[in-house]
Amino acid sequence: MSAQKDRWVSSLVFLLLCACSIPRSGSASLQQEPSPQHYFSGLEAGRASLAFFTPSVSPGAQPFLEQIESSAEALQDYGISVVKVNCPKEDVSRYCGKENALRKAFLFRGARLIREFPTDALFDVDSIVANILFALLFNEVKYVETLADLENIENVLKGKSNMVFAYVPATGTAEHRAVMEAAFVYGTIHQFVLTTEAALLKATSHDDPDVSSAWLLFCHCQRATSPGQPCRRTALAQPLTLLSIHRHLKLMGAPLVTEVAEDPEKISTVHLQLGLPLVFILSQRETYEADRRTAEFVAWQLLGKAGVALLSRDLVNLNVLHRSNVALKTPDEGMPIQYLVLEDTDEVITLLEDKNKVKQIQEDEQEEEEDEDENENNNQDIQDDQVVEAVSRDKKRELPLEEILVLTEENFHSSLSEAARTVVLFYASWEAVSLAVLRSYCEVAAQLKGTPGVLLSRVNCWDWPGLCSQENVTQFPTMRIYKEGQQSVTYGGMWGTEELSSFILLSQVSCPLKLATMDEAEGYLRGEFPPELSSHHHTSLLGVFSTATSEARKAFEEAGNILSGHIRMGMYFEDDALALSQKYSVSPPALLLARSRGRSVEGIALSQHSVQDMVQMIRYELLDIFPEITVPNLPQYLQLGKPFLILFSAGDISQVESEEMLKLAKGRPQQEFVACWLNLKKTPVGHGILRTYFSTTPSLPVLLWVNLHAGGQVFKFPSEQSITEMNILSWLEKLQAGLEIPSSTLSEEDWKPPLPAYDFLQMMEHSMPELSPQPGDTPAQHPPKSPGGDTAGGDTATREEPSQESTAQEVGSPGRGLRGTAPRLAARDKQGKRHSEL
């Protein structure tokens, strides 16, 4: 079946379902004909019609007419008209004779009679639609009575087409109607077969089916390439309705196994769209054929219940444990993919049948890891820090550290001259945040691999405390960029991969960037940047100075050194600087802010000339006027110490709401509050915030006034009012006058950890060897294993020969996929302890 034909069928079924669900007024679709002659003269070739012949006055026909009138609307969707023909008293023809009056209805295609129906067989709408379609599709829908008849049809279809076999306890039922309506749409794609014989249903099933209920089986005859190969059968698990049949046929038409070569978070298959989970079988190049067979075996077992995809480790960089061999993606929005370690295909089947199985498997794996590392664990049963808990849970994962240069006291200063810019991460291998940041740092190294002029390196301060003291590293982790002949720049932002990568690339360009001509300055405001910045859409800031404002210019340059890597800054101080600044209605010294690549340039006079005041001013001016609050940028707005007027939304806010909130934010000259919004789809933590504010989550969007810095009161904007500038201002005036009652008040209770913090200094007093206080001296011996694992496994330049245990691990398999033929998956082997950073 072609993709175009499949789309046409899906569209037809959708329109058909919509047409059946839309109420219609009256019964205008029942046609009235004054006489048989008038009716027969108007029949069109190829068009079907159901005619009921009755005398002009016939009270006994009223119940039947009511059902006919109701069915007329449904039959009209299939191009079948329903006609009531009034017979004159003197008419004694075949259709108006006494013996036929009130007892039969007649189905015509054009002027040809297809079938006569006794009126007692057309007792309601379902029976009318089912029997009429059954008669019209007599050649398309085969009726069988014996198993031999069914097997004969299957043999003819093998290798050619699939079959839909339906059992209904009786014709004229709602289930019979659903089957015939599905056959009307899908009859040209699949062969439909119908039976009412209970014995035949039992003969086709290994179990003892309930013959009082309707059944539907999809027979995969197209996959049976040889005469002796039976057609696989997949039963419809839901009650038999038109919608459930359509859903079942869509699932049967989907690929048995989908091969995935991209991030599984971005994958969307027909199974997920229809509310079913998707199981990923993790594979690799060496075991592809065996993993493919396993995936197909699992797919047949889960057909109609879940989708199966083959995910290649070689093509997708998975941030998961190497021994994970199965992943589960549910259709629930916002739920992360679960990566699991399963022993055989039975566990995969059970996983889908029991939703609690995922949690149980994860708990079993965690208990197994805790048993293996019992001597390494501390005495506390609970990790009270989320970062510590996450690192502890994933401590066996090896990091790709080969792209990051290891620095020691011997090679530190010589390595700084090898590249134009050397990025150094100072960390402690026993400290949880350091290990978490080291993961992001490895991802940055992979992204920036091959970038000219940038060298990524690391210093483990557990091994080289003298070097870290010499560089004045007083907290872990610390990242600095060293430029030859310049002062180092220390990073002070979020520790995510994108933030670190952006900082390193921005640091390649001088800050501030000195522009020599008027054309360069205007091009900078239009978004014409050096190639290193082409992919970064930061707001551009240009300082304009005259020869008489040298003090402000020097402060601006020092501010640029402090903000290097965080902000894109330019500077123009040529003779025509006055003309450039006046173009934007300011006089030097001034700042020009170019938002959205020059489409909006704002001029700001510089009144403060101290470096710290200028840094604070620049950071404030770069904040968005109506920002979207996210986890990374929330601290910037909390530092302002102002109330929040925040709009919570279940997605992108409408253009009208955005314009109204933007007008409100721009119209407050003293910036009394922070007008902002939060997208719950992008920032799911907002759900927890709303649950803290209210006992139940309110309907969205919802506008709130929250003063975190004074009283913690939460006020809710009236839901019956539209979000406009005028309505919000009126509401804020009531708040200030004390006329509004807060919806809730946040607790003033301090947030404290449930357990006391570790006393690392006391631990180090007992375990740390004597270290030389001189920066240039090296330790007399290697320190013992740290609480977080070994210090820097794999650093052959700074280590003794690895142990036999670590050597064995290095030559072992790169990870666990699903290896072996179905139905057994790879057995769970005890992994040797890894000699690594984590």
Side-chain angles (χ1 to χ4, degrees):
M1 178 184 65
S2 66
Q4 182 177 3
K5 190 173 185 180
D6 189 31
R7 288 194 297 271
W8 178 87
V9 169
S10 299
S11 301
L12 180 58
V13 171
F14 176 78
L15 293 174
L16 183 59
L17 293 173
C18 292
C20 294
S21 62
I22 297 175
R24 302 176 186 173
S25 59
S27 56
S29 55
L30 178 62
Q31 301 178 18
Q32 302 281 345
E33 291 290 351
S35 66
Q37 293 80 5
H38 195 276
Y39 166 70
F40 287 114
S41 63
L43 292 177
E44 300 176 13
R47 183 175 176 84
S49 63
L50 178 66
F52 176 67
F53 296 84
T54 178
S56 299
V57 180
S58 181
Q62 190 62 33
F64 174 67
L65 284 177
E66 291 176 358
Q67 298 302 321
I68 285 288
E69 290 177 3
S70 300
S71 66
E73 299 176 356
L75 291 174
Q76 190 177 43
D77 295 328
Y78 301 97
I80 304 169
S81 59
V82 181
V83 184
K84 175 188 174 185
V85 182
N86 294 320
C87 293
K89 293 181 179 180
E90 64 275 10
D91 193 341
V92 292
S93 63
R94 174 184 177 185
Y95 300 108
C96 287
K98 292 182 180 181
E99 59 177 343
N100 294 314
L102 304 178
R103 290 183 302 177
K104 290 185 179 180
F106 301 86
L107 178 64
F108 294 89
R109 177 176 281 139
R112 183 167 65 90
L113 177 64
I114 300 296
R115 187 173 175 183
E116 299 179 5
F117 293 97
T119 55
D120 57 358
L122 308 178
F123 46 89
D124 61 8
V125 175
D126 289 333
S127 64
I128 294 172
V129 176
N131 284 300
I132 297 304
L133 291 180
F134 195 16
L136 289 176
L137 300 176
F138 181 79
N139 294 323
E140 286 79 14
V141 179
K142 306 294 185 182
Y143 183 85
V144 294
E145 296 180 350
T146 64
L147 181 61
D149 294 336
L150 182 64
E151 290 176 345
N152 289 336
I153 297 176
E154 284 187 334
N155 291 333
V156 174
L157 295 176
K158 285 180 180 179
K160 301 175 183 177
S161 181
N162 297 316
M163 181 178 72
V164 179
F165 173 59
Y167 162 81
V168 292
T171 59
T173 59
E175 292 82 2
H176 182 208
R177 173 184 175 180
V179 173
M180 299 315 304
E181 288 180 317
F184 185 88
V185 178
Y186 292 98
T188 57
I189 304 171
H190 309 300
Q191 175 64 63
F192 277 70
V193 177
L194 181 71
T195 189
T196 56
E197 300 294 329
L200 178 55
L201 174 64
K202 292 181 178 181
T204 59
S205 176
H206 297 293
D207 302 321
D208 188 16
D210 180 11
V211 296
S212 63
S213 302
W215 290 78
L216 185 138
L217 301 175
F218 187 92
C219 305
H220 306 266
C221 296
Q222 196 171 18
R223 293 179 177 269
T225 54
S226 63
Q229 184 179 359
C231 298
R232 289 178 177 263
R233 295 166 180 169
T234 305
L236 172 64
Q238 290 78 30
L240 202 154
T241 64
L242 177 59
L243 186 59
S244 65
I245 295 175
H246 169 65
R247 182 175 181 270
H248 192 62
L249 296 184
K250 289 290 290 183
L251 292 172
M252 297 303 102
L256 184 64
V257 175
T258 304
E259 296 204 12
V260 177
E262 61 179 310
D263 185 358
E265 293 283 359
K266 301 177 181 178
I267 297 297
S268 177
T269 65
V270 65
H271 305 86
L272 293 171
Q273 295 165 9
L274 293 177
L276 296 178
L278 181 63
V279 177
F280 294 90
I281 306 298
L282 275 57
S283 176
Q284 51 195 4
R285 185 181 300 106
E286 295 82 357
T287 60
Y288 171 80
E289 293 299 332
D291 294 333
R292 175 77 190 187
R293 291 192 296 269
T294 300
E296 290 179 353
F297 179 87
V298 173
W300 279 116
Q301 303 303 310
L302 297 177
L303 197 58
K305 303 175 184 177
V308 177
L310 193 63
L311 178 59
S312 173
R313 294 178 181 270
D314 304 311
L315 300 178
V316 182
N317 184 20
L318 294 178
N319 189 21
V320 298
L321 292 172
H322 286 291
R323 64 196 190 107
S324 297
N325 53 14
V326 171
L328 177 64
K329 183 175 184 179
T330 63
D332 302 326
E333 187 173 346
M335 291 296 294
I337 293 180
Q338 304 287 341
Y339 291 90
L340 308 169
V341 181
L342 302 183
E343 293 189 29
D344 53 36
T345 53
D346 291 338
E347 284 196 1
V348 181
I349 309 303
T350 307
L351 179 70
L352 272 299
E353 295 176 348
D354 186 1
K355 294 183 179 179
N356 296 323
K357 189 67 176 178
V358 177
K359 183 177 180 180
Q360 179 183 342
I361 291 174
Q362 290 177 325
E363 290 175 351
D364 292 343
E365 291 176 13
Q366 188 173 0
E367 290 175 2
E368 180 182 336
E369 292 176 1
E370 290 174 354
D371 292 338
E372 292 175 354
D373 302 315
E374 184 176 356
N375 295 330
E376 298 178 9
N377 290 342
N378 56 64
N379 295 326
Q380 290 176 309
D381 295 328
I382 302 174
Q383 297 285 0
D384 60 341
D385 184 282
Q386 291 185 1
V387 176
V388 175
E389 193 274 336
V391 172
S392 176
R393 185 179 62 245
D394 204 16
K395 58 181 175 290
K396 290 188 176 183
R397 174 185 159 212
E398 293 187 11
L399 296 178
L401 299 169
E402 59 274 2
E403 299 295 334
I404 304 174
L405 178 66
V406 178
L407 299 183
T408 68
E409 290 182 342
E410 287 81 7
N411 68 354
F412 180 81
H413 295 287
S414 60
S415 299
L416 296 183
S417 60
E418 294 181 2
R421 287 170 177 78
T422 303
V423 185
V424 183
L425 177 67
F426 298 91
Y427 68 100
S429 57
W430 50 262
E431 196 261 335
V433 177
S434 291
L435 297 180
V437 171
L438 196 59
R439 301 175 189 176
S440 299
Y441 198 58
C442 289
E443 295 174 0
V444 172
Q447 289 184 6
L448 301 184
K449 183 179 180 180
T451 302
V454 177
L455 175 65
L456 266 64
S457 61
R458 57 190 173 98
V459 174
N460 186 352
C461 293
W462 177 267
D463 287 340
W464 308 104
L467 175 59
C468 296
S469 299
Q470 177 183 338
E471 293 301 311
N472 196 28
V473 175
T474 58
Q475 63 182 17
F476 306 124
T478 294
M479 191 179 83
R480 288 181 183 163
I481 296 182
Y482 292 82
K483 308 174 188 178
E484 190 173 358
Q486 298 183 29
Q487 186 178 359
S488 63
V489 178
T490 302
Y491 178 67
M494 301 291 289
W495 290 104
T497 303
E498 295 303 321
E499 290 83 1
L500 293 175
S501 177
S502 175
F503 174 77
I504 294 171
L505 290 178
L506 280 176
S507 298
Q508 290 185 272
V509 181
S510 300
C511 186
L513 181 64
K514 297 179 181 179
L515 305 169
T517 66
M518 186 86 157
D519 290 340
E520 286 185 4
E522 300 234 2
Y524 179 84
L525 293 174
R526 290 193 301 268
E528 298 173 5
F529 312 121
E532 301 91 330
L533 307 181
S534 58
S535 61
H536 293 267
H537 305 291
H538 295 266
T539 298
S540 298
L541 183 144
L542 178 65
V544 183
F545 305 93
S546 64
T547 54
T549 57
S550 58
E551 182 182 351
R553 188 185 76 187
K554 291 180 181 178
F556 185 78
E557 288 183 282
E558 293 185 28
N561 292 331
I562 295 175
L563 298 173
S564 176
H566 296 285
I567 297 174
R568 187 160 49 200
M569 295 173 59
M571 184 171 65
Y572 188 66
F573 54 90
E574 301 300 328
D575 295 337
D576 49 1
L578 180 61
L580 177 63
S581 60
Q582 288 180 345
K583 180 178 179 180
Y584 298 100
S585 304
V586 289
S587 299
L591 299 180
L592 300 180
L593 261 67
R595 305 182 191 272
S596 303
R597 291 194 176 272
R599 289 194 293 271
S600 173
V601 179
E602 178 184 357
I604 303 170
L606 268 177
S607 57
Q608 302 292 338
H609 293 172
S610 72
V611 176
Q612 292 302 323
D613 288 343
M614 195 170 292
V615 168
Q616 186 175 357
M617 175 188 175
I618 290 172
R619 282 177 170 164
Y620 179 78
E621 294 295 342
L622 288 174
L623 295 177
D624 291 334
I625 298 174
F626 177 53
E628 177 186 354
I629 294 297
T630 61
V631 173
N633 71 10
L634 177 60
Q636 303 175 34
Y637 295 95
L638 284 177
Q639 289 174 359
L640 300 177
K642 299 175 181 179
F644 274 41
L645 181 66
I646 181 168
L647 178 65
F648 287 84
S649 173
D652 292 334
I653 58 177
S654 67
Q655 184 176 356
V656 175
E657 292 172 343
S658 177
E659 291 175 352
E660 293 294 327
M661 292 292 292
L662 196 58
K663 285 192 298 182
L664 180 71
K666 290 181 177 179
R668 311 300 287 179
Q670 297 180 354
Q671 300 291 327
E672 301 170 356
F673 54 83
V674 177
C676 55
W677 70 289
L678 190 146
N679 186 344
L680 294 176
K681 285 189 175 180
K682 289 185 180 179
T683 313
V685 71
H687 290 285
I689 296 174
L690 287 177
R691 285 192 293 269
T692 302
Y693 292 165
F694 306 96
S695 57
T696 58
T697 303
S699 58
L700 301 176
V702 59
L703 181 65
L704 304 177
W705 173 277
V706 185
N707 196 342
L708 299 172
H709 309 281
Q713 292 182 329
V714 180
F715 293 88
K716 181 176 177 291
F717 180 74
S719 56
E720 66 272 10
Q721 295 186 25
S722 58
I723 298 177
T724 64
E725 180 186 17
M726 184 176 300
N727 289 343
I728 297 173
L729 287 175
S730 175
W731 178 61
L732 293 180
E733 290 177 359
K734 294 180 181 179
L735 288 182
Q736 294 176 353
L739 301 178
E740 291 286 327
I741 301 175
S743 301
S744 62
T745 302
L746 302 181
S747 173
E748 296 182 359
E749 182 182 356
D750 293 336
W751 292 355
K752 296 179 180 180
L755 296 173
Y758 294 117
D759 190 347
F760 286 111
L761 293 179
Q762 185 178 6
M763 293 172 58
M764 292 172 66
E765 288 177 0
H766 296 290
S767 62
M768 189 72 176
E770 291 291 332
L771 297 179
S772 172
Q774 300 299 325
D777 295 338
T778 57
Q781 59 181 346
H782 288 287
K785 282 188 177 181
S786 58
D790 201 358
T791 52
D795 301 347
T796 55
T798 61
R799 289 279 175 216
E800 297 177 358
E801 289 297 320
S803 65
Q804 293 180 358
E805 178 180 312
S806 64
T807 304
Q809 179 62 33
E810 290 174 3
V811 298
S813 61
R816 282 185 75 243
L818 291 181
R819 296 182 288 276
T821 56
R824 292 291 299 175
L825 306 187
R828 190 192 323 226
D829 299 325
K830 290 286 185 179
Q831 300 272 326
K833 300 186 189 303
R834 289 187 171 90
H835 186 71
S836 64
E837 290 257 5
L838 297 181

